[in-house]
């Protein structure tokens, strides 16, 4: 069975169908069909998928940078206890 590279990339980096769907405006079911079907696909749909994937990557980069900043700021105090409602770092 052949699949599109989009599926391989999406699975490798744990991008769910729902996450990609929200980013590109194509239903999760349709994305799955596109990934599994080697048939034709419109240029408009390809553009939506590319833009959506770029959006997912950009959001993840921001999240990764935020995680790195929080870690750098708190790495020497990570084992200190906090209250159950004390989530601000």
């Amino acid at each position: 069975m052949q699949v599109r590279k989009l599926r391989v990339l999406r699975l490798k980096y744990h991008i769910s169908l729902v996450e990609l769907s929200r980013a590109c405006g194509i239903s999760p079911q349709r994305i799955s069909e596109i990934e599994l079907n080697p048939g034709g696909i419109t240029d408009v749909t390809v553009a939506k998928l590319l833009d959506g994937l770029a959006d997912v990557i950009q959001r993840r980069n921001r999240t990764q940078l935020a995680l790195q900043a929080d870690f750098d700021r708190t790495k020497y105090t990570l084992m200190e206890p906090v209250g159950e409602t004390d989530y601000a770092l």
Side-chain angles (χ1 to χ4, degrees), residues 6-72:
L6 169 64
R7 182 179 181 87
V8 175
L9 183 70
R10 187 178 61 74
L11 294 175
K12 180 178 180 180
Y13 290 98
H14 308 284
I15 300 170
S16 72
L17 286 169
V18 172
E19 182 179 14
L20 183 55
S21 172
R22 288 180 180 152
C24 70
I26 300 172
S27 74
Q29 295 83 3
R30 180 65 181 129
I31 294 171
S32 181
E33 290 170 5
I34 290 167
E35 291 176 342
L36 297 173
N37 184 357
I41 182 174
T42 68
D43 291 341
V44 172
T45 301
V46 170
K48 285 181 179 182
L49 286 166
L50 293 176
D51 289 345
L53 194 53
D55 183 57
V56 168
I57 292 166
Q58 186 178 37
R59 278 189 276 124
R60 286 188 174 196
N61 283 340
R62 284 193 304 265
T63 301
Q64 187 66 31
L65 290 173
L67 171 59
Q68 185 66 53
D70 281 347
F71 174 72
D72 289 344

